[in-house]
Amino acid sequence: MNLALWIVTGLLATVLLVSTSKMFVPRETIASKGKAAEWVMDFSPRSLRIIGALELLAVGGLILPAVLDIAPVLVPVTASCVALLFACAAAMRFRRGERGTMAPDLIYMAMAVFVAWGRFGPESFIG
């Protein structure tokens, strides 16, 4: 179970790290990649930088507390916040009528819920 949680945590961290590219790539360039990427035009460049910064913090919050053994309770707390992030992303896609592109957001949300559940419960770093 611990190995599965680490693998899912690593996958989530990778997805979030790749997603931070919105901080550096102009939103017009991202939007030109296809229908699934047009959502960036709903947000200002500043908002995209803030979202990217939060995702970067989430990457650190998923990995570093456990690896460094400093406040490891932050791992499931961060995973809960990541689940909320992806729930909001799915809701935004639903609002935009992009139901076909909601699946990855829902899968990532389920992965984050799994990590939060596992690290709060059976494979907790504390106790």
Side-chain angles (χ1 to χ4, degrees):
M1 175 70 128
N2 189 40
L3 180 61
L5 286 165
W6 273 112
I7 290 169
V8 172
T9 301
L11 290 171
L12 270 176
T14 303
V15 166
L16 289 166
L17 191 60
V18 169
S19 181
T20 61
S21 66
K22 70 176 78 59
M23 293 172 52
F24 313 107
V25 179
R27 64 187 186 142
E28 293 78 14
T29 305
I30 297 171
S32 69
K33 299 296 180 195
K35 181 98 172 121
E38 291 176 357
W39 66 270
V40 296
M41 298 309 287
D42 288 353
F43 295 89
S44 69
R46 182 171 187 228
S47 295
L48 291 174
R49 283 192 299 275
I50 290 170
I51 294 168
L54 291 173
E55 290 170 342
L56 194 57
L57 288 172
V59 170
L62 285 171
I63 304 291
L64 293 178
V67 170
L68 300 176
D69 198 27
I70 299 173
V73 73
L74 290 178
V75 173
V77 170
T78 302
S80 300
C81 293
V82 169
L84 180 62
L85 173 81
F86 283 114
C88 291
M92 186 246 344
R93 290 192 189 277
F94 184 79
R95 180 184 52 82
R96 288 179 48 87
E98 299 175 354
R99 288 165 183 80
T101 59
M102 284 175 48
D105 294 328
L106 295 174
I107 291 168
Y108 298 142
M109 182 184 74
M111 290 168 63
V113 167
F114 173 69
V115 171
W117 167 80
R119 292 305 182 196
F120 272 131
E123 290 291 335
S124 176
F125 289 122
I126 35 182

